[in-house]
Structure formats: C-alpha cells, structure tokens
Amino acid sequence: MKMLLNLRQDKIGFLSSIVIFVTIMLGVFAPFFAPHDPNQVNMSLRYAPSSMEYLLGNDHLGRCILSRLIIGIRPSVLWVLAALGVSVLIGAALGFLAGYFRGKIDTVIMRMCDTMLSFPGYVMALAIIGVLGVGLQNILIAFILIKWAWFARIIRTSVLQYAELDYVKFAKAPGIKDLQIIYKHLFPLTFSDIAVIASSSMGSMILQISGFSFLGLGIQAPNAEWGMMLNEAREVMFTRPELMLAPGLAIVIVVSAFNFLSDSLQVALNPALSTGQKRSKQESLSTEKKEVLMK
Amino acid sequence: MTVKKYMSPVIFLLMLALLTACSDNTEGGGEAQDDNSTAATKEIIYATAKDINDMNPHLYAGSMPAQGKVFESLVENTEEGIKPLLAESWDISEDGKVYTFTLREDVEFQDGEPFNAEAVKKNLDAVQNNADTHSWIKLSTKLESTNVLDDHTVELVLTEPYYPALVELSMTRPYVFLSPNDFMDGETKSGVEGYHGTGPYKLAEHKTDEYAVFEANENYWGGAPAIKKITSKVLPAGETTFLALQKGEVNFAFTDDRGADSLESESMNQLVEEGEYQLVRSEPMNTKMIVANSSRTENAVSETEVREAIWHSIDRETISRDIFDGTETPAETLFSSNIQYADVELKKREYSLEKAKEILDQAGWKEQQSGAVRTKNGNELAMQLFYDNASSSQKTQAEFIQYSLQEIGIQLEIIGEESTSIANRRATGEYDLLFNQTWGLAYDPQSTIAAFTSDASYLHTTSGIEQADELYKKIDEVMVTTDENKREDLYADILTTVHNEAVFIPITNGSVTVVAPDNLNGISFKQTQFELPFEQMNFKD
C-alpha cells in the first residue's frame, strides 16, 4: 500500500500507470472499444485520410486504423505481458531455488543460465522461429525460453543477500519449512526487485515483438499488430508517411510508459533512491541489474 | 571532476574529427554522384530485386533480362512473326521435320570466336544432352539431331513435325549461343567458364548480390549499341528502389522476369510527377493469376467446386481499379481473347460472394455458424496462398482475397516468400494456391499450355483434374498437328477443360512497366515480358 502511495506522489509514474492501465483495458475489451471490425476490408477507402467515422484514417486495404491499433494491443502488449509473466515465474522459481539452497542446485541452475545467456537473444529467437516456424505463438515461446535465464540470475542475486540475514537463520532454527521461509520471509523482500526488473524488461520485449512482426516473423495477416502495421506503412513510407504515425506513436508511448513506470517503481519501493542516499548493498544490486539490462 | 573538464574538449575534438571524416566521405560520395550525373547521359543503372545469378543460358538460374542482353537466338519473335536474327534465312522441309538455317557470316562471339555452324551444333547438342531440364520446351523432346552442312548452314532434324519449333528457337533460353570456349568438357549442364554470347552487351563485372556491369559489344554485328554501359544493381524492392531512383543512384526500373514490379504504382506516379522520369507501359502481355494445386488431394483445393468458389469471390474490378490504379485490366480467362487460338467461348464466372457460397453449400462444405470456417466431414476449409515477397501488389491482393474468402467461409493463410522459393514450390507441388502469370505473348498459348505437362511448371496444377490424361493427350496432339482447323479445335478443348476445372484463376492482364530517365529514347518492348531491347535505347542530348 505504501508503495502505491509513493507511486501516487510521483507524477510521471502515476501518469505512466494510468496509460498502461488504459492500454490494458482497451486491449482486454478491444471488441467493445474498436469502432469498426479491424479486419473489415473496404477498398474504396484505401488510404483514406482521417474522418469522423474513421478517426485515424484507413490503411492500404481500407481497414480502420484506429480499430486495428486497439485490437493490436492484444498481441503487442497483452501477450507480451503474459510471456513476461511466464518467464518471470520460471526465473523466480529457479532463482529462489538457487539462491536459497545454494550448493549443487545453485551450480546446476547457474550453469544452465550461463549457457542460455551466452547466446545473443535475437539470434536465439531467430533460431527458435526457424525451427518452430513463424507466428506470434512461436515468438512468445522463444521469448520465454530465452528470458527466464536472466530473470533467474537476478532473482538469485536478490535472494542471496537476504538468505543470510539473521532472522532467516532464526526462522530456520525452530524447523520452519524452507518453502514457508521463502514464501513468508524472502518473497516479500525480493518482490520489489522482481517488479522492477519485470517492468523494465517489458519495454524491450514490446520492442522486440514489434521488431519481429515488422520483419514478418510474428503475427500473420490479417491480424493486426503494431509492428506489422508499421511494416505495412513502410511500403508507402515516402508517398504516405503519415501512416507510420499511429502505430509508431503507440509503440513509443507504451514502451515509454513501461520504462517510466519501472523507474518510478524503483523509487517507490525504495524511497532512499529518490533522496540520493544509497546503501552499498543496493548500489551493487542496481549496478548488476543495469549490467544485465544492458544486454 | 577535473578529469571530466579535460575530457570534454577532447571528446569535442574527437567528434569534430569524426564529423569531418564523415563529410569527407559525403564529399567523395558527391563526386561519385557528379560522375554519375554526367555519365547519366549515356549509362543505364537499373534496379533489380535479385542478382543476375549464374548467366549460363542453357540453365534457368540466371536473370532473363541480363541473359537477353548477352545471348541471342537463331530467330527472333516479333509482332509481325518470326524474323531472322543469327540465322539469315531458313527453310522447312515438306514434311515439317527438317529445318535448314543459313547463318549470318559476320557474327563473332564476344571472345573473338567465330559464330558458325559448328558452334551452333555444339550449343544445341549441349542443350539436348540435358533434355530433362528442358522438358517444358517441347522442341527438346523432338529435336533428333543437328547437322553441320557447311560452315554457315546447319540442319535441325525433328522426330515429328512440330509447329512451334521456330517460336521455341526464338526464346531467351535455352536455344541461344554461348562461345564453345566457355564449355566445360564440351558441356554446359554442370557450369560454364565464361559468358560470351553474340549479343549487344557483354558481362564486364559481377559482384554477387551487389551489382553486375554490362558493357557495349563494340563489334556487335548489328552495330554497337548507343548506350555503352548498363549496370544491374541489386536493391530491395519498394521504398529502397524508390529512394535510389530519386537520388539518382539508379535511373531505371522495370517489371522483373517473375512479374513483380519493384515499385508500386503510386511511387511510380510520384517519380514521374517530379519530372525526372518517364513511365512506359507495354501492351498487356500476360495474365496474372492464382494457380491452384489440383493434385493436392489432402487439401480442399483439389475440389473443382472449391476452386470455382474462389474464382467467384475475387473482385477483379476492385483489384484493377484500386490496387493497380487502373493500369491493369481485369482478366476473366486464362488467356485474353486476342491471343492466338484463345478466342474461345468460355463461361464467365462473375464476382459474386452469394454464388460462391451457394457452390460451397452444394459441394457439402457447410457453415456451422455464421462467420465460421466451413467444414466437411470434420475437415476445415483452409488453405495457403503463396506470394512473392518482392511484389507489394501481390501482397495487397493476397490480403484482399483473404478477406473475401473469409466472407464465404474459407480460411486462407497468406505467406510471402522469395520468387525462387515460389518457383520451387510450383515445381515440387508444395502449395495449395500461388500467384503466377502466363508467360507472355511469345509463349502464349503454346508454351504455357505445353507447361501444363511439365514437372517444373504446371503438372501439379493440372494433374489432379479428372480428365487429366485426356488433356495431356490433346496437348501432345496439338503440338504436332499440321492441320490448322484441328489445332484450333484442340486448343479450344484444352482451354475449355482447364477453364471448367478452374485450376488457373485469372486476376488481371499484366504488362511490363519501365521507369526510365526522362531523356531516354527508344524504349520499346519485345514479345516477351522477360527482356528489354536495351540496344535500341539512346539518350537525347
């Protein structure tokens, strides 16, 4: 609760969360919000400019751009969110195992992470798409397969620093079960780290999905997706540049919102950051985070 | 902090150095461009979506516009019929089996080797030694032997009379002539050592997937061409080509040999409006169509009714008007009626989604609920349509057709691939539907129809239809018959069969489009969509 209150005081963070909330709602209830059938072809409206009926105009098949933009939230944002959730879950599970139990489990999981992290993400995704075939589903699978490793690694680091704290040791002494310790004592502490990493990687994942769709590897026609809409607009980039605007801005706004939210979350979860006082532990953690994020 | 203070001027200097380095580069580029614009008065640089590839004219990997510049055939197919080219004159025996050609005496290959009867024999033999590859061209199955009569007279003996023989000899490949010095072990089927033809241009430089330079053949028997240098530059189709044309990096673009325009019509119009370019369009040359794989029994596309329904659900008027800006006319039959032997009365299948639904209903494909994909015996009415990645108009058409088919309850997946991969699918039968086109004036109808029986072409398209055997028999017959009336009847039968079976679903009548500098004269077209007569072009001063 305190976190939410903190967040409310941060204007940018507050605005970002509203943008994200609205986007998600629009996506979930897309058919209600979309003014037209997003796949309705009407050749007589090919490249029509914006009008009262079609607020953002029409694309190369006379389809309503606004409706496509709204329905495009599903693959561009919601499915990415889902994929992110799954890989964070996998990463968290393995991260807690490794960080809490240490020893052999830790070694095995970390070496697996090393292996996964030694492949460049994009190339790995392309390879997986090459094996499984093109399609949104396969890209999401590829993402989950690639991303879990560095979530696992960061969460492990976060768990490590708390696992040695005295009260965790004291909790172990009377024989409280490991799972319960993790759930009761470690999870609340690491949750803030997980939230920050997840929200900050959301932006890059949206960009990557759009990138793959732009290349034609993602969602297949006639379904709408922002990257694909950009690709369709690209063909008339010099004769009708305005078509790039709607999907381009949509991506920019949502990705920025996620990034700002991530920054604000970090501050809200850890007010010390906003005043500039840093404890050495956090500094080391955030540098590691940054390093991984740079990848 | 002090470090930072010192660092910033250093960084600034570095940036400055970088910037000047950059501007040096751009100046260099500018000079190169100036060279171009002065040279632009006598040079053509054309954009092409794919590399010229292996130019071996006896195989099919090469780019036809490039091969057409370098290699020549014995005779030429023109609007007025077959005309002499490397052969001055010819004689056909009474029984139609022996063709005697008198060759031009002043012709040399580009490596100095004389073009004579011996060279003709070597080339034809090399082609015949690889006859399997050439099965689409029926002459390859009927050419029995090539005999040298004297230095400049050569005789072709056929196993039976074959009326399109001269037409097939006039084609861009494979019956064209490569210097015997370039042969490997007397053959060409497994590669050649050079690309010396007799044509107006010779290949000077080739960098795979970048560019190829052709220089004028100053010793060309028809007189050295006016344009001394032609460069074929590989550029992705679409906006890259458009920008390159605007910048002057290339100054020429045309419909490629697989029928894909590298620019969409709106960009072409914009280029013309800007005043630097002209747009020249040929007469309608071919029919752009969707080819259905009738032999794919595991898919619904093998059912005539389904194909008919697809035919009915394509709105050709809209495609012609909105996608092609009226530059291509709707096509209702495989060959337009001005093609020889193709003026046949065929039932027109008008655009009508209602009609299409009715046909599907009757064929047992039922819609369980409105808007859902139709099913029959638990199978969904779903298929795939392949289009050429390089063609933006094909993609738009595919999306448009996808929507229409969805309306009648057919689920269509559209997949864009490279043109070679599409050609490969056509040959292996790995497709349900794909975009294709008839082969153009010089090839229609005889070669396109002969290709119905060819593995590499439309065998998979036609072999699933009920009367396939009868159809193939008629195709064999029509090629050898000498009786004009009988030929007409047979062609009418063949065209009626494939029309009734709806295996070739026509869309529009396509033409070749050329975007060329405003001051280029003499742009004309051949009887094929696959090459352009560059040697006839020249720049106004």
Side-chain angles (χ1 to χ4, degrees):
Chain A
M1 271 292 93
K2 191 159 174 255
M3 179 197 110
L4 284 180
L5 280 178
N6 280 342
L7 197 59
R8 264 192 72 176
Q9 283 161 5
D10 183 344
K11 276 188 191 136
I12 295 179
F14 187 59
L15 196 70
S16 304
S17 33
I18 288 181
V19 168
I20 291 167
F21 179 74
V22 169
T23 311
I24 290 175
M25 282 301 122
L26 278 176
V28 171
F29 301 105
F32 296 103
F33 288 112
H36 298 92
D37 176 356
N39 293 335
Q40 169 85 44
V41 169
N42 187 346
M43 279 309 227
S44 57
L45 289 172
R46 184 168 151 91
Y47 296 130
S50 74
S51 59
M52 279 311 283
E53 211 190 338
Y54 297 92
L55 283 177
L56 293 179
N58 302 74
D59 69 1
H60 65 295
L61 291 172
R63 297 176 296 200
C64 172
I65 292 180
L66 179 62
S67 307
R68 291 181 72 71
L69 209 57
I70 292 175
I71 209 89
I73 292 174
R74 289 183 169 182
S76 300
V77 182
L78 298 188
W79 281 112
V80 180
L81 213 54
L84 180 77
V86 174
S87 44
V88 168
L89 267 182
I90 300 177
L94 293 173
F96 274 107
L97 281 180
Y100 183 78
F101 294 107
R102 312 288 298 270
K104 271 187 189 154
I105 299 182
D106 187 25
T107 318
V108 171
I109 292 177
M110 281 307 108
R111 291 303 79 75
M112 272 163 64
C113 286
D114 286 345
T115 320
M116 289 309 292
L117 288 172
S118 59
F119 294 107
Y122 267 105
V123 179
M124 190 73 181
L126 281 176
I128 292 174
I129 293 162
V131 175
L132 298 177
V134 298
L136 183 68
Q137 214 182 337
N138 295 338
I139 288 194
L140 292 175
I141 292 175
F143 271 18
I144 294 169
L145 288 179
I146 295 159
K147 296 270 172 178
W148 68 264
W150 71 274
F151 285 124
R153 170 152 271 200
I154 293 178
I155 291 165
R156 169 185 172 267
T157 321
S158 168
V159 171
L160 265 183
Q161 55 173 334
Y162 299 117
E164 294 301 313
L165 291 181
D166 285 344
Y167 71 91
V168 176
K169 284 183 190 154
F170 296 154
K172 276 182 187 169
I176 297 178
K177 281 185 184 132
D178 290 334
L179 264 181
Q180 214 169 354
I181 297 178
I182 291 178
Y183 179 68
K184 276 252 165 92
H185 299 297
L186 289 177
F187 185 68
L189 280 173
T190 48
F191 179 74
S192 59
D193 286 334
I194 297 178
V196 172
I197 315 159
S199 58
S200 63
S201 65
M202 182 66 193
S204 64
M205 273 176 88
I206 293 177
L207 286 179
Q208 283 179 10
I209 278 265
S210 299
F212 281 120
S213 292
F214 182 82
L215 296 176
L217 300 172
I219 199 164
Q220 293 301 303
N223 302 307
E225 202 276 345
W226 294 349
M228 194 161 94
M229 289 172 76
L230 266 183
N231 189 23
E232 284 163 358
R234 180 188 59 107
E235 284 174 19
V236 287
M237 194 159 108
F238 298 101
T239 40
R240 298 181 187 278
E242 66 276 9
L243 286 176
M244 316 268 315
L245 278 181
L249 281 179
I251 295 176
V252 169
I253 290 173
V254 171
V255 171
S256 318
F258 272 105
N259 285 340
F260 283 128
L261 179 71
S262 151
D263 284 352
S264 309
L265 265 184
Q266 204 163 359
V267 174
L269 290 168
N270 200 342
L273 279 181
S274 62
T275 56
Q277 297 168 352
K278 289 177 197 169
R279 275 174 295 172
S280 61
K281 208 180 278 170
Q282 268 146 356
E283 195 164 28
S284 68
L285 178 62
S286 56
T287 37
E288 172 153 1
K289 241 182 267 164
K290 267 182 201 146
E291 265 169 27
V292 182
L293 284 179
M294 300 284 264
K295 288 178 190 169
Chain B
M1 284 313 269
T2 45
V3 178
K4 266 188 190 162
K5 252 183 208 162
Y6 288 113
M7 279 305 277
S8 49
V10 172
I11 289 173
F12 178 75
L13 277 176
L14 268 174
M15 297 279 275
L16 209 65
L18 265 176
L19 275 176
T20 40
C22 284
S23 61
D24 274 351
N25 273 346
T26 45
E27 261 169 39
E31 274 162 32
Q33 202 130 30
D34 285 345
D35 282 351
N36 276 350
S37 50
T38 45
T41 47
K42 45 187 187 299
E43 191 179 323
I44 286 179
I45 307 171
Y46 70 78
T48 170
K50 59 175 202 283
D51 190 51
I52 60 163
N53 223 315
D54 176 13
M55 291 268 291
N56 183 351
H58 297 163
L59 294 175
Y60 297 95
S63 137
M64 291 177 87
Q67 287 172 328
K69 291 196 288 272
V70 176
F71 302 105
E72 287 177 308
S73 45
L74 285 176
V75 290
E76 188 182 13
N77 196 340
T78 69
E79 229 169 314
E80 291 93 40
I82 301 294
K83 287 278 162 76
L85 197 68
L86 290 177
E88 245 167 13
S89 61
W90 59 90
D91 217 29
I92 307 172
S93 69
E94 284 287 302
D95 61 0
K97 284 187 184 174
V98 182
Y99 288 69
T100 313
F101 292 92
T102 311
L103 307 177
R104 293 189 69 96
E105 299 194 4
D106 53 350
V107 181
E108 256 182 14
F109 284 105
Q110 289 158 3
D111 60 354
E113 184 78 5
F115 171 78
N116 52 27
E118 199 53 46
V120 171
K121 179 176 166 54
K122 275 186 185 154
N123 272 275
L124 294 187
D125 286 350
V127 173
Q128 289 308 115
N129 283 341
N130 192 17
D132 285 349
T133 317
H134 309 294
S135 65
W136 66 276
I137 195 161
K138 289 292 162 202
L139 183 60
S140 66
T141 60
K142 302 188 193 312
L143 184 59
E144 192 174 73
S145 65
T146 310
N147 306 317
V148 177
L149 296 188
D150 66 43
D151 212 20
H152 289 98
T153 316
V154 69
E155 176 189 78
L156 272 62
V157 183
L158 311 190
T159 51
E160 54 186 330
Y162 179 58
Y163 93 89
L166 283 175
V167 175
E168 296 193 348
L169 283 173
S170 75
M171 287 171 182
T172 321
R173 55 197 186 192
Y175 293 111
V176 292
F177 301 95
L178 175 76
S179 167
N181 295 336
D182 295 333
F183 285 34
M184 280 166 84
D185 308 324
E187 296 290 347
T188 55
K189 60 184 172 193
S190 45
V192 292
E193 283 168 1
Y195 306 107
H196 299 97
T198 57
Y201 289 93
K202 51 188 176 189
L203 179 63
E205 199 187 340
H206 178 205
K207 213 158 182 191
T208 307
D209 283 335
E210 283 183 41
Y211 61 86
V213 178
F214 297 90
E215 276 169 7
N217 176 7
E218 295 296 335
N219 304 321
Y220 183 52
W221 57 269
I227 292 172
K228 298 300 175 199
K229 193 173 165 193
I230 299 178
T231 308
S232 151
K233 195 163 182 163
V234 182
L235 286 176
E239 70 281 7
T240 318
T241 303
F242 175 75
L243 275 187
L245 279 164
Q246 252 184 350
K247 274 189 353 199
E249 195 185 319
V250 297
N251 61 7
F252 199 91
F254 56 93
T255 312
D256 79 1
D257 51 2
R258 306 234 196 244
D261 277 318
S262 43
L263 294 170
E264 48 132 44
S265 50
E266 225 171 291
S267 324
M268 290 194 227
N269 292 338
Q270 192 179 334
L271 282 172
V272 174
E273 272 164 33
E274 283 166 8
E276 298 272 313
Y277 288 97
Q278 56 178 325
L279 187 64
V280 188
R281 232 178 266 281
S282 74
E283 293 292 301
M285 281 229 177
N286 57 26
T287 307
K288 292 187 178 170
M289 58 188 177
I290 289 179
V291 173
N293 188 348
S294 67
S295 63
R296 194 163 231 202
T297 43
E298 70 268 26
N299 192 284
V301 79
S302 58
E303 290 179 27
T304 311
E305 292 82 4
V306 172
R307 296 193 297 264
E308 267 187 298
I310 297 173
W311 190 316
H312 277 294
S313 56
I314 296 176
D315 183 357
R316 294 169 183 77
E317 294 288 337
T318 302
I319 290 179
S320 152
R321 189 184 57 232
D322 290 322
I323 299 181
F324 290 110
D325 276 344
T327 55
E328 297 194 357
T329 51
E332 304 292 346
T333 49
L334 175 57
F335 298 112
S336 74
S337 55
N338 64 339
I339 302 278
Q340 204 188 5
Y341 305 119
D343 193 6
V344 181
E345 195 71 35
L346 295 171
K347 179 182 69 180
K348 185 182 163 185
R349 295 193 180 95
E350 76 287 1
Y351 165 61
S352 162
L353 293 181
E354 289 314 309
K355 186 84 202 251
K357 285 180 194 166
E358 207 176 287
I359 295 173
L360 288 176
D361 278 334
Q362 278 166 8
W365 290 99
K366 298 285 184 216
E367 208 167 16
Q368 303 302 344
Q369 63 198 69
S370 103
V373 180
R374 284 170 192 265
T375 53
K376 180 160 94 176
N377 305 332
N379 293 326
E380 282 200 331
L381 189 46
M383 52 195 73
Q384 297 178 318
L385 167 63
F386 294 91
Y387 65 89
D388 184 345
N389 260 342
S391 163
S392 68
S393 69
Q394 275 186 15
K395 177 166 184 257
T396 311
Q397 288 174 68
E399 289 176 305
F400 181 58
I401 293 166
Q402 182 183 43
Y403 176 73
S404 299
L405 291 189
Q406 191 195 329
E407 292 285 283
I408 62 166
I410 300 180
Q411 186 189 329
L412 186 72
E413 192 186 336
I414 59 173
I415 300 163
E417 287 187 351
E418 286 199 359
S419 58
T420 36
S421 148
I422 303 239
N424 191 37
R425 283 188 183 278
R426 193 181 70 178
T428 53
E430 296 275 311
Y431 66 94
D432 304 326
L433 298 166
L434 53 79
F435 277 99
N436 227 267
Q437 54 182 339
T438 62
W439 298 356
L441 298 174
Y443 298 78
D444 290 342
Q446 77 286 341
S447 301
T448 308
I449 284 183
F452 290 1
T453 64
S454 161
D455 234 357
S457 311
Y458 299 121
L459 183 70
H460 298 285
T461 315
T462 54
S463 63
I465 66 184
E466 224 172 290
Q467 316 89 322
D469 292 332
E470 202 183 323
L471 177 74
Y472 295 153
K473 225 170 70 196
K474 279 182 182 158
I475 292 175
D476 283 341
E477 213 173 320
V478 78
M479 299 300 164
V480 294
T481 181
T482 44
D483 178 356
E484 186 67 28
N485 286 332
K486 195 173 171 212
R487 200 183 291 161
E488 260 172 41
D489 288 348
L490 283 169
Y491 270 126
D493 281 356
I494 293 165
L495 291 175
T496 310
T497 308
V498 292
H499 183 86
N500 289 343
E501 289 290 333
V503 284
F504 298 100
I505 303 167
I507 302 176
T508 55
N509 290 118
S511 49
V512 175
T513 315
V514 168
V515 178
D518 208 25
N519 59 346
L520 188 70
N521 277 341
I523 300 171
S524 57
F525 298 93
K526 294 199 173 182
Q527 289 291 292
T528 115
Q529 65 221 18
F530 302 119
E531 45 180 315
L532 284 173
F534 286 102
E535 67 277 10
Q536 292 171 16
M537 299 177 194
N538 59 72
F539 282 100
K540 270 182 270 194
D541 291 320

